[in-house]
Amino acid sequence: MSELSAEGGHGAVPLKDVPTGEGVTPPEPEWPLYEVFVRGKRGLNHVHVGSLHAADDRMALLHARDVYTRRNEGVSIWVVRADAITASSPDEKDPMFAPSGDKVYRHPTFYDIPDNVPHM
Amino acid sequence: MADHVHTTPEDEHDNAYAGLLVNDAHWAFGTDFEDPLAGVDTTIPEGVDAPTLAAYALMLGDDALVMSHRISEWTSNAPDLEDDIALSNISLDLLGQARLLLARAAKADESVVPRLPDGSPAPPEDALAFFREAHDFRNVRLAELVNGDFAEATVRVLLFSVWRLATFERLRSSRDHVLAAVAAKGVKELAYHRDYSARWFVTLAQGTDESRRRLLAALDELWPLWPELFDTHPVEAAAAESGVGVDPASVREAAEGVLDQVLAAADVPRPEASRRAGVLGRTGRDGMHGEPLSRMLAEMQSVARAHPRGQW
Amino acid sequence: MTLTETPPARDLEAGFEATIARNERIEPRDWMPEGYRKTLVRQIAQHAHSEIIGMQPEGSWITRAPSLRRKAILLAKVQDEAGHGLYLYSAAETLGVSRLELTELLIAGKQKYSSIFNYPTLSYADVGTIGWLVDGAAICNQVPLCRTSYGPYGRAMIRVCKEESFHQRQGYELLATMMRGTDEQRAMVQESVDRFWWPALMMFGPPDDASPNTAQSMAWGIKRHTNDELRQKFVDMSVPQAEALGVTLPDPELRWNDERGHHDFGQPDWDEFMEGVKGNGPCNAQRMAHRRRAHEDGAWVREAATAYAAKQRAVSA
C-alpha cells in the first residue's frame, strides 16, 4: 500500500509512487506565468502576493483583480511576466551555477516583507 | 471557533497579506449583511406610485437574479481557474444587486411578496426569489437562456452588461435613494463585467478560426433578443415619468454606441437577424418567458419550497 | 560570480540541512535534494487538485441554495476553493512543473486528490457539514503547513488557512441555524453528520503504524505532525462543537479518557478508504469526468487567447 499523508491539505493523499510531472508533454502551449504585486492601501509598498496565468498583460491585470483582491476597491495592482524578472538568489550558493543545479526553477524569489511595512 | 488558526508573531512576519486585507469582510461573504437595506433611506419619494416603484425594482432585480444564476452555473466549468473565479465574481455582483432590488420591491409594496405559510422566517427578498412562479418573474428573456459554450457566455455577459451599465448610469440620479445607491455601486461592477466580456469578445473574434466561428454563432443566436432590452414597458414608462426609473428606449443610443465600438475592435459586423417575437405580443417584462425559466426555477426553488418554514 | 566559486554538492546539502535545522525556509532558487523536491511536488499538486475537485460536491448546491444570502456565501466559498487551487498550483510551479502538466496528471488519474470529495452531497445540510467537519479537518492539516519548510507553500497556506477558518465558521453557522429550524431540518443535519463523520476522520490518512515514510517528511519539515496526532486533535476539537450544536457523533466508542487527556474513538473503515483511493469510491468517476470535460471544453478558449496574444505581440513588434 502506498503511504498516505494527511498533509494533502484537504485530506490524505499518496506521497509515494506518484509522478511529479517530468516527461509530461502538455498538449497545448500554456499561458505565461505572471507575478502579482498589490498595494493594499496608500502608504504601503506593493508586495508580492502570488502568481497567475494569463495570455497577455491586460488579461493578467483583470485576473489579478479577481484572484488576489476579490473585488476590493481602491487597491493598486502590478503584474509582470515572471520571465521578465531578473532575480538574485537568497543564498550565495546559487543553484544556477551549481553542478547539480540544472533544474528549471523558473520562479523568481519571493520577497519577504519587512516587519514595519504593515504599520508604515 | 477558529481560534486555533491564529498566527504567531513569527508568522505575521511572513504574512504578505497582513497589511493588505485589513478586515474580515475581505475574506468571506455572509459576515456582514443581514438586512440588505440597513441604513438606507427607504421612504418613497413624493409623488411616486408605490406599486410602480415595486414593479420596476422587481424588473431590475429579476434580471440580475436570473442572470446571476445562469453565470453561477459556470462554477467549476470554466476554461481555466482564473476565468472560473472571474465568472463567480460577476455572478456574485449580480446576486448582490438582486438581493437589494428585491428587498426594495418588497419594502415599497408588500403586496408583491408571495404569502408564505405562517411561521415562515423567510425574509421578503427570499420569498420573492424562491416562492414566485415563472410568470411572475419580470426579467428579460436574454438572461434566462440555457447556457451554451464560453463564447455564448461572453456574448451574453457583454450584451447584458452594456445595456445594464447604460441603464444604471442614469439610474444613479433616481429620486429613490435605494435605486440610486444600487446603481451607484452597480456601475462599477457592471463596468468590470463589460470590460471582462468585451476583452474576451475581441480575443475570441481575433483568436483562432474556431473561436471566431463560435463567437459569431453565439452572437447570431443572442442577437434576436437584443432589441427586447430597449422596449419600454408601461411600468418602466411610469417609473421614468416619476423620476425613479430609466426608460430603456432612452439608453439605446448609448448602449448601441458602446457595442459598436466593441464590434469594430473585434472586426465583427453587426448581425442582421431580426428580433424574436413574444407570445401574443408579450415578452419577459410581461412575465412571458421561454421554456428554460420554469425549469431553472424548479431547481433554484426546490430546497426553499420543500421547507417553507425552514431556517437558513 | 563565476563558475570557479561553485561549492561542491556536499556543501550544498549541508547548507540545506542547516537551513532546515535553523527552522528557516527553503526558497525556490535554493539547492534542495531531489527527494525533497519531488515530495513537495506530490503534496502541493495533490493539495491543489483536492481544492479544484472539491469545488464540485458543494458546487452542485449553488443552484439550489435556499436563500439569497446562502447562495452568495456558497458561491463565494466555492470561488475561494478555485483560488486556493490557483495559489497552490503557483507554489508547485516554483518547483519546476507547470499547472498544465499537473492538470494532465490529474485527469489521467496519475495524481490523486483527497478521497473526501468522492463522497456525494445529498442534502443542503451537507454544505454545512462539509464546512464544519471537512474544512475543520483541513484546518487541522493545514495550519501546521503555514510553517512548512518550503517558503512558497507556507505563504500560500497562510491565505488558504485564513479563508478556510471562515468556511468552517460559515458551515457551522448554517448547521446551527438549521438546528433552530424545523424537525425535518434537524433530522437533515444529523443524517449529514452521520454520513460525513467517518470520512472526515479518514482525511488524516491511515494510522501511523502504516506510515513508514513519515519520518523523512518530518525531518525535512514538510510534515510537522503525524496522521494520528492530527486526527486526535480534530476529534478533541469536534466533540464540544457537536455538543453545542446538539448533534450526536456516530461513534459508540467515543468517550473522554481522563488519563490521556484526550478522547478515545473508533477507527473508520480503512477498506472503504482504500477503495476510494484506488478509484472505486461512490463519486470518483463522476468527479474525474466533470474535471476532464471542463478542461477539454476549455481547450479552444485557452488556445484562442494564446493565438490572440501572439498576434498582438506580432503587431507591436
Side-chain angles (χ1 to χ4, degrees):
Chain A
M1 177 174 94
S2 173
E3 180 166 352
L4 289 112
S5 166
E7 272 91 346
H10 265 290
V13 290
L15 292 186
K16 300 268 290 175
D17 311 325
V18 170
T20 54
E22 292 79 4
V24 177
T25 311
E28 52 181 296
E30 190 161 31
W31 291 349
L33 191 66
Y34 280 79
E35 297 301 327
V36 182
F37 301 78
V38 173
R39 184 210 302 282
K41 57 184 178 191
R42 289 175 187 282
L44 297 183
N45 285 322
H46 283 79
V47 296
H48 182 245
V49 294
S51 51
L52 50 74
H53 288 272
D56 58 36
D57 297 354
R58 176 80 189 132
M59 189 200 274
L61 259 188
L62 288 172
H63 284 162
R65 173 187 177 280
D66 283 315
V67 174
Y68 289 104
T69 72
R70 291 288 203 286
R71 306 171 303 148
N72 184 14
E73 300 285 343
V75 302
S76 159
I77 302 172
W78 291 347
V79 292
V80 58
R81 271 183 69 142
D83 58 14
I85 295 177
T86 308
S88 73
S89 168
D91 199 304
E92 290 300 312
K93 299 165 192 160
D94 192 320
M96 301 285 213
F97 302 93
S100 56
D102 56 354
K103 293 171 204 73
V104 276
Y105 298 120
R106 36 181 118 157
H107 234 243
T109 303
F110 285 66
Y111 298 127
D112 270 335
I113 311 306
D115 279 324
N116 58 342
V117 166
H119 312 293
M120 263 171 67
Chain B
M1 188 161 88
D3 55 358
H4 53 279
V5 296
H6 67 102
T7 46
T8 64
E10 190 194 336
D11 286 334
E12 290 297 337
H13 173 79
D14 290 333
N15 185 350
Y17 304 101
L20 295 180
L21 296 148
V22 289
N23 76 52
D24 288 351
H26 294 150
W27 291 105
F29 270 72
T31 50
D32 62 345
F33 60 157
E34 290 304 324
D35 175 4
L37 297 182
V40 184
D41 178 7
T42 56
T43 323
I44 294 172
E46 185 83 19
V48 171
D49 176 50
T52 296
L53 175 59
Y56 182 68
L58 268 186
M59 290 173 171
L60 296 181
D62 287 345
D63 288 338
L65 178 62
V66 173
M67 188 72 179
S68 165
H69 189 95
R70 287 305 190 195
I71 298 170
S72 78
E73 292 175 348
W74 274 96
T75 305
S76 81
N77 291 299
D80 220 330
L81 288 180
E82 285 85 352
D83 290 294
D84 214 293
I85 292 170
L87 289 168
S88 298
N89 271 344
I90 294 174
S91 180
L92 281 166
D93 285 342
L94 292 172
L95 187 55
Q97 293 176 14
R99 192 158 179 257
L100 290 163
L101 289 162
L102 296 187
R104 185 24 162 176
K107 190 86 178 170
D109 180 4
E110 276 180 28
S111 72
V112 300
V113 182
R115 292 280 304 247
L116 298 189
D118 288 343
S120 170
E125 65 272 18
D126 286 346
L128 283 165
F130 296 98
F131 293 88
R132 273 183 305 156
E133 302 299 323
H135 57 77
D136 290 326
F137 276 72
R138 291 288 181 267
N139 58 282
V140 293
R141 290 181 296 174
L142 177 71
E144 74 199 31
L145 302 176
V146 173
N147 285 349
D149 62 9
F150 187 73
E152 194 274 341
T154 297
V155 176
R156 195 193 313 201
V157 173
L158 179 69
L159 297 179
F160 186 85
S161 58
V162 163
W163 163 67
R164 192 169 174 89
L165 178 57
T167 305
F168 272 36
E169 278 171 347
R170 295 192 175 206
L171 193 65
R172 281 183 294 189
S173 51
S174 170
R175 291 180 60 225
D176 181 65
H177 292 297
V178 180
L179 294 186
V182 171
K185 181 164 185 287
V187 159
K188 291 182 213 154
E189 296 167 344
L190 292 162
Y192 171 75
H193 306 173
R194 184 190 64 181
D195 288 356
Y196 174 83
S197 54
R199 202 207 158 283
W200 268 116
F201 189 95
V202 173
T203 300
L204 296 181
Q206 304 284 323
T208 61
D209 291 347
E210 171 71 356
S211 68
R212 187 172 178 87
R213 182 190 67 74
R214 285 175 181 261
L215 184 84
L216 296 178
L219 189 60
D220 280 343
E221 185 189 328
L222 297 179
W223 194 254
L225 291 167
W226 173 248
E228 182 183 325
L229 306 185
F230 305 100
D231 290 346
T232 306
H233 186 274
V235 163
E236 290 167 314
E241 181 70 23
S242 59
V244 292
V246 177
D247 181 350
S250 72
V251 303
R252 178 155 201 160
E253 198 181 322
E256 296 276 19
V258 172
L259 190 62
D260 282 341
Q261 282 181 42
V262 179
L263 292 172
D267 194 21
V268 168
R270 270 178 83 89
E272 301 196 346
S274 36
R275 65 177 292 151
R276 183 159 306 157
V279 176
L280 307 176
R282 286 153 52 193
T283 60
R285 285 283 187 254
D286 309 296
M288 189 62 77
H289 297 281
E291 291 175 358
L293 184 66
S294 58
R295 257 198 296 275
M296 187 198 105
L297 294 178
E299 180 179 2
M300 185 179 101
Q301 299 176 335
S302 58
V303 178
R305 288 196 180 211
H307 303 275
R309 291 190 177 84
Q311 297 263 11
W312 306 105
Chain C
M1 198 178 305
T2 69
L3 286 174
T4 55
E5 290 172 34
T6 300
R10 198 180 312 138
D11 286 1
L12 291 172
E13 184 144 15
F16 170 85
E17 298 291 349
T19 304
I20 298 279
R22 287 195 305 272
N23 211 16
E24 287 181 6
R25 307 298 154 87
I26 303 298
E27 294 295 343
R29 294 164 64 87
D30 290 341
W31 183 90
M32 61 187 80
E34 193 57 15
Y36 175 87
R37 194 186 72 83
K38 286 193 165 173
T39 301
L40 275 171
V41 170
R42 292 185 186 107
Q43 183 170 325
I44 300 172
Q46 295 182 117
H47 190 168
H49 299 331
S50 300
E51 296 283 358
I52 299 308
I53 296 288
M55 295 169 72
Q56 295 179 34
E58 287 177 279
S60 79
W61 288 92
I62 291 172
T63 53
R64 290 174 287 175
S67 77
L68 297 177
R69 178 170 170 270
R70 287 295 170 197
K71 188 168 172 156
I73 291 171
L74 181 57
L75 182 51
K77 183 196 167 174
V78 176
Q79 181 193 43
D80 282 347
E81 286 164 2
H84 296 174
L86 198 152
Y87 311 151
L88 287 161
Y89 282 127
S90 298
E93 285 178 288
T94 65
L95 293 160
V97 287
S98 77
R99 186 163 103 198
L100 200 54
E101 287 165 350
L102 298 175
T103 301
E104 293 293 329
L105 287 170
L106 169 67
I107 64 181
K110 290 178 180 163
Q111 289 187 341
K112 306 292 181 188
Y113 54 89
S114 170
S115 292
I116 190 76
F117 300 120
N118 289 322
Y119 287 91
T121 50
L122 302 177
S123 77
Y124 204 78
D126 288 2
V127 170
T129 308
I130 288 178
W132 174 38
L133 293 180
V134 174
D135 294 338
I139 289 169
C140 287
N141 285 344
Q142 291 174 164
V143 165
L145 291 178
C146 295
R147 302 176 48 69
T148 194
S149 60
Y150 188 57
Y153 191 24
R155 285 189 289 273
M157 290 316 301
I158 289 170
R159 180 160 185 164
V160 169
C161 285
K162 182 91 180 164
E163 292 180 347
E164 290 290 358
S165 73
F166 270 96
H167 298 167
Q168 193 199 16
R169 272 195 273 183
Q170 286 167 352
Y172 191 81
E173 188 255 347
L174 169 61
L175 296 182
T177 305
M178 290 179 70
M179 292 299 285
R180 289 196 300 272
T182 63
D183 289 343
E184 283 169 312
Q185 287 185 294
R186 276 184 285 277
M188 205 191 290
V189 172
Q190 182 64 59
E191 190 276 333
S192 175
V193 170
D194 288 345
R195 255 185 305 115
F196 272 100
W197 174 251
W198 293 114
L201 290 191
M202 293 178 198
M203 288 173 66
F204 299 94
D208 293 343
D209 51 24
S211 304
N213 292 299
T214 285
Q216 178 62 75
S217 277
M218 291 189 64
W220 276 334
I222 295 174
K223 188 172 174 62
R224 305 193 74 98
H225 300 283
T226 70
N227 295 355
D228 283 336
E229 283 168 5
L230 291 166
R231 187 167 16 247
Q232 181 72 60
K233 186 177 161 71
F234 173 72
V235 171
D236 290 341
M237 183 182 90
S238 300
V239 168
Q241 291 169 356
E243 277 166 18
L245 199 55
V247 296
T248 310
L249 297 175
D251 179 359
E253 296 175 45
L254 183 65
R255 64 179 58 82
W256 177 254
N257 181 327
D258 227 4
E259 206 170 303
R260 292 202 306 126
H262 292 291
H263 292 87
D264 292 338
F265 55 95
Q267 285 293 314
D269 180 350
W270 291 112
D271 292 337
E272 181 178 303
F273 173 77
M274 285 315 301
E275 285 305 308
V277 172
K278 280 187 270 176
N280 302 324
C283 296
N284 291 60
Q286 179 190 332
R287 303 289 184 237
M288 290 289 284
H290 180 130
R291 185 70 194 98
R292 196 176 293 123
R293 178 184 46 70
H295 186 67
E296 287 168 3
D297 285 355
W300 70 270
V301 180
R302 297 189 298 272
E303 198 183 317
T306 302
Y308 177 72
K311 285 179 191 171
Q312 292 303 104
R313 277 195 300 276
V315 169
S316 62

